[in-house]
Amino acid sequence: RFIRHCVENRIPLDFVSTHVYGNDLAKDIFGTDENIPRTAMVCRAAAKVHDQVKASARPDLPILWSEYNASYKNEPDVTDAVFMGAWLADTIRQCDGLTDMMSYWTFSDVFEEQGVVKQPIYGGYGIIAEDGLPKPAFNAFRLLHDLGDQRIAVDSKSVLVTRKQNGNLVIATWNLFLPEERGEPKQVTLNLKGIKGNARILISRLDSRHGSLLDSYDAMGRPPYPTSAQIEKLRQAATLPPPEAARLHDGKITVTLPPQGLALVETR
């Protein structure tokens, strides 16, 4: 209706913008009584808008998705958790090609909308907590930034395969399930055809033991006002460790992913 109104009245417009969150209700987004999980809501909404624009009188309009996240509430088990790594990777997999830009909401947990922050880890939807502490979502973006610029089609719902301009393959794989579900570790075997011998690879990880400060914060008793020493300890826990060096065996590598784990595999 917005596009039609502008076209019929010769009103100039440059783009279409909208936003959605993973825990929005299907009734509000689609007018249905479905129970759409937060792992599917964002990209299903993006597909709806994409199709509406392409079917309009201005199919050329860019779609700028101004906000998205797995939650618009303060849910520590969602937005503070390593769940965000697998969720973000899977969201990129599903939403690729549906928008011209997607803006994660938001960068910092400290902003005026919710008032003064009472403790550094409270379920905010930023990627940086109070005191400049990187959350798992920050490290997820950091890992996924290393994906290549060419996507290679693959028949999997838990793998993204890309190629860099230098020819290296960069593969993201994850073990995603809803936060309220009990997850189990899983093994993913990557069979890289066309790579001879036992090529060297690097494996970067994001999970509860790699790039997450949550266990350290819990071990401290979740202090609302951490000391300088505690903040430094949390910062160290939040730092992504260096990638693991490994080798393919006959073009294959098996990666074990803990619950909600995300791994980035790059050929060298």
Side-chain angles (χ1 to χ4, degrees), residues 195-207:
I195 299 180
K196 297 181 180 179
N198 299 328
R200 180 171 176 263
I201 62 170
L202 297 177
I203 304 174
S204 302
R205 296 179 180 273
L206 171 62
D207 51 54

Side-chain angles (χ1 to χ4, degrees), residues 41-112:
M41 173 61 79
V42 169
C43 295
R44 184 166 161 182
K48 172 188 175 182
V49 174
H50 174 272
D51 292 348
Q52 287 176 330
V53 172
K54 293 305 177 185
S56 75
R58 287 291 308 277
D60 60 310
L61 285 172
I63 300 172
L64 307 186
W65 210 273
S66 59
E67 298 178 28
Y68 78 98
N69 200 321
S71 176
Y72 60 83
K73 300 178 181 179
N74 294 333
E75 297 185 83
D77 291 339
V78 179
T79 46
D80 288 338
V82 292
F83 163 79
M84 294 304 299
W87 183 85
L88 280 165
D90 195 51
T91 297
I92 290 172
R93 177 190 69 83
Q94 295 181 72
C95 289
D96 183 24
L98 298 178
T99 74
D100 294 88
M101 182 204 77
M102 293 190 73
S103 178
Y104 183 90
W105 184 263
T106 182
F107 185 78
S108 174
D109 274 353
V110 183
F111 56 98
E112 87 293 342

Side-chain angles (χ1 to χ4, degrees), residues 24-37 41 44:
D24 273 321
L25 299 178
K27 190 74 173 177
D28 297 330
I29 308 302
F30 301 102
T32 67
D33 293 321
E34 301 170 79
N35 182 19
I36 301 175
M41 173 61 79
R44 184 166 161 182

Side-chain angles (χ1 to χ4, degrees), residues 1-244:
R1 294 195 300 269
F2 165 68
I3 296 174
R4 183 168 62 246
H5 173 80
C6 291
V7 170
E8 290 176 351
N9 293 278
R10 299 185 180 183
I11 302 170
L13 69 162
D14 298 311
F15 58 87
V16 169
S17 66
T18 188
H19 67 272
V20 76
Y21 288 85
N23 59 335
D24 273 321
L25 299 178
K27 190 74 173 177
D28 297 330
I29 308 302
F30 301 102
T32 67
D33 293 321
E34 301 170 79
N35 182 19
I36 301 175
R38 72 175 80 233
T39 50
M41 173 61 79
V42 169
C43 295
R44 184 166 161 182
K48 172 188 175 182
V49 174
H50 174 272
D51 292 348
Q52 287 176 330
V53 172
K54 293 305 177 185
S56 75
R58 287 291 308 277
D60 60 310
L61 285 172
I63 300 172
L64 307 186
W65 210 273
S66 59
E67 298 178 28
Y68 78 98
N69 200 321
S71 176
Y72 60 83
K73 300 178 181 179
N74 294 333
E75 297 185 83
D77 291 339
V78 179
T79 46
D80 288 338
V82 292
F83 163 79
M84 294 304 299
W87 183 85
L88 280 165
D90 195 51
T91 297
I92 290 172
R93 177 190 69 83
Q94 295 181 72
C95 289
D96 183 24
L98 298 178
T99 74
D100 294 88
M101 182 204 77
M102 293 190 73
S103 178
Y104 183 90
W105 184 263
T106 182
F107 185 78
S108 174
D109 274 353
V110 183
F111 56 98
E112 87 293 342
E113 193 173 30
Q114 296 191 25
V116 176
V117 172
K118 304 295 192 301
Q119 63 183 67
I121 305 297
Y122 67 95
Y125 22 87
I127 60 176
I128 298 286
E130 187 187 29
D131 299 312
L133 295 171
K135 294 165 59 175
F138 177 92
N139 285 328
F141 278 116
R142 189 171 181 179
L143 282 186
L144 297 170
H145 184 71
D146 285 334
L147 288 170
D149 55 6
Q150 177 188 357
R151 183 174 177 182
I152 299 173
V154 61
D155 185 18
S156 173
K157 293 184 178 180
S158 60
V159 174
L160 265 172
V161 182
T162 67
R163 181 183 284 113
K164 288 185 173 180
Q165 292 185 0
N166 63 7
N168 289 357
L169 293 177
V170 187
I171 302 165
T173 182
W174 54 89
N175 182 9
L176 176 65
F177 51 90
L178 292 171
E180 59 269 23
E181 296 175 340
R182 179 180 175 83
E184 299 291 340
K186 77 171 183 179
Q187 289 188 329
V188 176
T189 299
L190 304 174
N191 184 8
L192 308 183
K193 297 180 181 179
I195 299 180
K196 297 181 180 179
N198 299 328
R200 180 171 176 263
I201 62 170
L202 297 177
I203 304 174
S204 302
R205 296 179 180 273
L206 171 62
D207 51 54
S208 61
R209 296 186 178 182
H210 302 84
S212 173
L213 51 68
L214 294 183
D215 285 352
S216 292
Y217 189 56
D218 287 340
M220 295 175 183
R222 302 184 70 85
Y225 303 106
T227 65
S228 296
Q230 288 175 322
I231 291 171
E232 183 56 33
K233 187 173 182 179
L234 291 173
R235 196 180 313 282
Q236 292 175 5
T239 301
L240 281 171
E244 309 162 16

